[in-house]
Amino acid sequence: MVRITNNLYSDAYEYIKRDSSEGNCIVFVAADVDSICAVRIFQALLKSDIIPHKIVPVSGHKDLEDANEKLVSKDENLRSIVMINCGGSEMIASIFTAAPETKVYVIDSHRPLLLDNLLPENNHICVFDDESQTTRVTGALDAYEKLLTLEEESGEDDGEDSENDDEVDQDGRPMDNRPRQRRRLNEGLNLSKRNERRHLNRTIANYYGNGSFYTNSVSGMVYELAQQLGKTNNELLWLAIVGVTSQYIFEKMNTSTYAQYLEKFKDDRARLNIDKNEDGSLQNANNIVIKSEDEYRFIMFRHWSLYDSMYHSGYVASKLGVWKDAGKKRLNNMFAKMGFSLQQCQQIYTHMDMDLKQMLRDKIEVVAPLYGLTDICFPSFTRTYGWECCLSASDVVYSLSTILETSPAAATQLGTTVNWNEAEETYADDEEDDAKHKDAANGLDSSSPPEADRNSSDTSGYGSNGILSSERTNWWMRNFYTAYDALSGNSPSSLLRGLKLCMKTQKAIVQQGTSIIEKKMVKILKNFRFVNVRNGPDLPIFQHPSALTKLGLYLIDAYREHGKKNLPIVLCSLDEKYNTCLLMALTGAASFGETRKNKFNMAFEEAAENTKARISFDSFDPSIIQVIDDDVEYFVEALSYKKR
């Protein structure tokens, strides 16, 4: 059992269930929206089977190494390690020093998968994958296994030749001519082997060299597991919907894959959301009901004003060019053509006249195409919280992503406060009251999370753990638990607070994007556009990859419509405290709903090697790195000469 395809998910879970009677289970989870939704679903499955477990959030490779030292290697009773949205590209066998009975289950959407984890000798590593990837993965894996065999045979042959060559007479001549004769006889065979080796190397190089990408969604994969186990419910369905939606709106999933998930979700939604009695009356007005509804491609319109929602959405802003006066006039004219006064559109949506809200869809369908907004809707879902409010899946995505990405400095700059989870420095356990005691028993002080030692750095920018320091390491775990708790219970209060914060951060992102376009801060290099965010009052906002991604997607939308070329974009954001830069690359497909593989991971490695730039590859996403500020200029210059 090495590579686990869709129809075998439940079989793998049965191993976890069986092993739980003998020992412990640790769940490592990455800090993004899809991962948090997935771990929520997975935890519900574990609880339903009374499986003790510990949840450990991780932000990068170094956290896994620290957790191995402080948790995994010291737990003799550990039997199952589950990795959610991490581990797919890690050399698992070299990271964890666990007991021989321990199995590792990798549920990761990052691709390509590391072939070493799929080798037969690593049968304790079980990698969840999609059936659609079988041809691609098995072809590369077969080539890799054959190449390893050839190298072993080549090593043995070289060893035999060297032993025979050592036998010489007193004049230094070989005592036996058979080695030379054998080499002559085998020249044809060796040439054949070299050609085969060259072909195998090319196959493997294509597998890795085509670039990194995402496949499916980890929350969608875990929900499929829940379906196979017959343990789905409305709560788990909603979590899966939110996770899949996050992948789609952040352009990590194409429309075709999204549509496939949609069909599955619609069937379960119809089954789980029977909200009326036979006589047509509501069963319970306070029920939490999921509905299938089209979602507009302007952000948080149910909780913002219609004007702000459209103005601050990348899709509408790019189509109309709202950073110019002419674009603002076009937006105002569109509202006028719809018959909506500007005063009404600038009110909070809930305060708009009811008749205007009821006719909004019809008006948009007629008027929007006249302004180039031809695909302004996409199919999605909403969830009602009784009479309290209605949230769409994208609303929840924007709320959670903002909670994850907002630093205390950014919140202060935006003039707001966040009710952070004060239990952020303990690992979440299925029995919260015992969390600190269990951490201590495993040798991990609850006041010292794995990333705690990153805060101390020398003048070179490196922390005591050997990776580049970042202000983000001081607060990301607290944000994780705040987002994690926002999905618990039947109250949307935490999510609504996240939406209010998102409105402020989105304004800052659009303001920064508009400034970049107007001041022509985008530098066009040979193969990509480069943006360096180095100053301004909103600089603390862009210390997290999620916020920088939103800025990048806004600029990609703008240049799709108004740029001469559809180029990838590389963004850089300065961390003033540590004199390091967060640098990431977005490929930018030709249109929304399409995806393009990202080849910058290999280009980053080559540029770093050629320039000797001081960088850290500590993210699970290989297109995100940390660079010393002084090295950025040379690094980017070298990057521009790479072919992608």
Side-chain angles (χ1 to χ4, degrees), residues 49 149 249:
D49 290 313
T149 302
I249 63 179

Side-chain angles (χ1 to χ4, degrees), residues 56-301:
V56 182
V58 288
S59 65
H61 316 297
K62 185 59 182 176
D63 283 343
L64 291 176
E65 294 175 1
D66 291 345
N68 174 64
E69 179 184 346
K70 299 173 182 177
L71 284 176
V72 175
S73 62
K74 296 183 179 180
D75 190 350
E76 296 179 356
N77 296 319
L78 182 61
R79 293 295 176 268
S80 301
I81 298 174
V82 181
M83 307 183 74
I84 295 182
N85 232 11
C86 58
S89 58
E90 306 288 334
M91 188 77 76
I92 302 296
S94 62
I95 290 180
F96 295 132
T97 52
E101 302 85 0
T102 304
K103 287 187 174 65
V104 182
Y105 303 86
V106 179
I107 310 174
D108 194 355
S109 63
H110 298 91
R111 295 296 183 273
L113 294 170
L114 188 68
L115 295 176
D116 294 84
N117 293 332
L118 303 176
L119 293 174
E121 55 263 34
N122 289 326
N123 58 4
H124 66 291
I125 302 173
C126 308
V127 182
F128 283 54
D129 199 10
D130 190 81
E131 189 66 40
S132 63
Q133 298 288 314
T134 296
T135 302
R136 177 177 175 274
V137 174
T138 53
L141 184 60
D142 288 345
Y144 190 49
E145 291 177 349
K146 290 178 181 177
L147 184 62
L148 292 177
T149 302
L150 284 176
E151 289 178 350
E152 289 177 2
E153 293 175 353
S154 176
E156 292 173 0
D157 291 343
D158 291 344
E160 291 177 5
D161 289 346
S162 63
E163 288 177 7
N164 289 322
D165 288 345
D166 287 341
E167 299 177 8
V168 296
D169 60 19
Q170 60 183 1
D171 296 324
R173 290 173 297 189
M175 295 178 64
D176 191 349
N177 289 324
R178 283 177 296 176
R180 292 183 180 179
Q181 293 171 357
R182 183 167 62 249
R183 282 197 292 270
R184 283 196 298 268
L185 291 172
N186 291 339
E187 276 185 4
L189 181 60
N190 289 339
L191 179 61
S192 174
K193 285 186 176 182
R194 284 198 297 271
N195 289 335
E196 183 181 7
R197 186 182 290 111
R198 190 178 298 112
H199 172 71
L200 296 174
N201 278 322
R202 190 180 300 115
T203 301
I204 297 168
N206 288 337
Y207 173 77
Y208 288 115
N210 282 336
S212 61
F213 62 101
Y214 291 83
T215 179
N216 295 334
S217 150
V218 284
S219 54
M221 294 168 72
V222 179
Y223 184 75
E224 188 171 349
L225 168 62
Q227 287 178 314
Q228 293 177 12
L229 297 173
K231 295 184 177 182
T232 57
N233 57 45
N234 231 18
E235 188 66 34
L236 302 191
L237 172 61
W238 180 245
L239 290 169
I241 289 171
V242 171
V244 169
T245 302
S246 73
Q247 295 294 90
Y248 184 59
I249 63 179
F250 291 139
E251 302 191 21
K252 298 176 181 178
M253 176 186 291
N254 60 38
T255 299
S256 175
T257 305
Y258 178 70
Q260 292 173 13
Y261 275 115
L262 234 60
E263 291 305 312
K264 297 178 184 178
F265 294 155
K266 284 180 179 178
D267 292 341
D268 278 9
R269 189 217 67 81
R271 177 174 59 87
L272 297 169
N273 289 268
I274 303 174
D275 56 346
K276 292 186 178 181
N277 296 312
E278 294 181 359
D279 60 1
S281 61
L282 290 175
Q283 285 186 353
N284 185 350
N286 294 321
N287 266 351
I288 296 174
V289 179
I290 298 174
K291 296 181 180 179
S292 178
E293 289 187 24
D294 282 351
E295 179 71 353
Y296 295 113
R297 286 182 57 190
F298 36 89
I299 186 170
M300 302 178 292
F301 76 95

Side-chain angles (χ1 to χ4, degrees), residues 260-457:
Q260 292 173 13
Y261 275 115
L262 234 60
E263 291 305 312
K264 297 178 184 178
F265 294 155
K266 284 180 179 178
D267 292 341
D268 278 9
R269 189 217 67 81
R271 177 174 59 87
L272 297 169
N273 289 268
I274 303 174
D275 56 346
K276 292 186 178 181
N277 296 312
E278 294 181 359
D279 60 1
S281 61
L282 290 175
Q283 285 186 353
N284 185 350
N286 294 321
N287 266 351
I288 296 174
V289 179
I290 298 174
K291 296 181 180 179
S292 178
E293 289 187 24
D294 282 351
E295 179 71 353
Y296 295 113
R297 286 182 57 190
F298 36 89
I299 186 170
M300 302 178 292
F301 76 95
R302 296 176 184 84
H303 314 278
W304 216 351
S305 71
L306 196 58
Y307 183 91
D308 280 332
S309 175
M310 287 192 174
Y311 182 88
H312 294 99
S313 297
Y315 177 73
V316 177
S318 62
K319 291 287 186 180
L320 302 182
V322 298
W323 51 86
K324 300 177 182 178
D325 290 338
K328 294 184 180 74
K329 288 179 181 178
R330 293 190 74 198
L331 180 59
N332 293 341
N333 290 339
M334 188 174 75
F335 287 132
K337 248 190 175 94
M338 291 167 57
F340 290 13
S341 70
L342 201 57
Q343 181 182 3
Q344 282 284 339
C345 293
Q346 290 177 337
Q347 290 185 30
I348 301 300
Y349 181 77
T350 52
H351 297 161
M352 285 179 65
D353 291 346
M354 185 60 68
D355 56 341
L356 293 181
K357 289 191 284 188
Q358 290 175 345
M359 68 173 68
L360 176 62
R361 181 180 178 85
D362 293 335
K363 292 290 186 181
I364 287 234
E365 288 180 352
V366 173
V367 176
L370 302 177
Y371 292 84
L373 305 171
T374 53
D375 51 351
I376 200 167
C377 294
F378 64 92
S380 187
F381 298 87
T382 60
R383 172 175 174 171
T384 57
Y385 290 81
W387 302 109
E388 191 170 356
C389 73
C390 174
L391 294 177
S392 68
S394 60
D395 288 338
V396 179
V397 171
Y398 287 123
S399 175
L400 293 175
S401 64
T402 304
I403 292 172
L404 286 170
E405 74 196 22
T406 305
S407 67
T412 301
Q413 172 61 32
L414 295 169
T416 186
T417 56
V418 181
N419 295 328
W420 304 113
N421 183 341
E422 293 304 325
E424 74 278 2
E425 297 192 355
T426 60
Y427 286 146
D429 199 278
D430 59 325
E431 296 180 11
E432 294 181 3
D433 292 340
D434 297 331
K436 292 184 179 180
H437 301 291
K438 292 188 178 183
D439 286 346
N442 283 290
L444 180 63
D445 186 349
S446 63
S447 63
S448 302
E451 84 285 359
D453 61 350
R454 296 187 185 185
N455 298 341
S456 58
S457 64

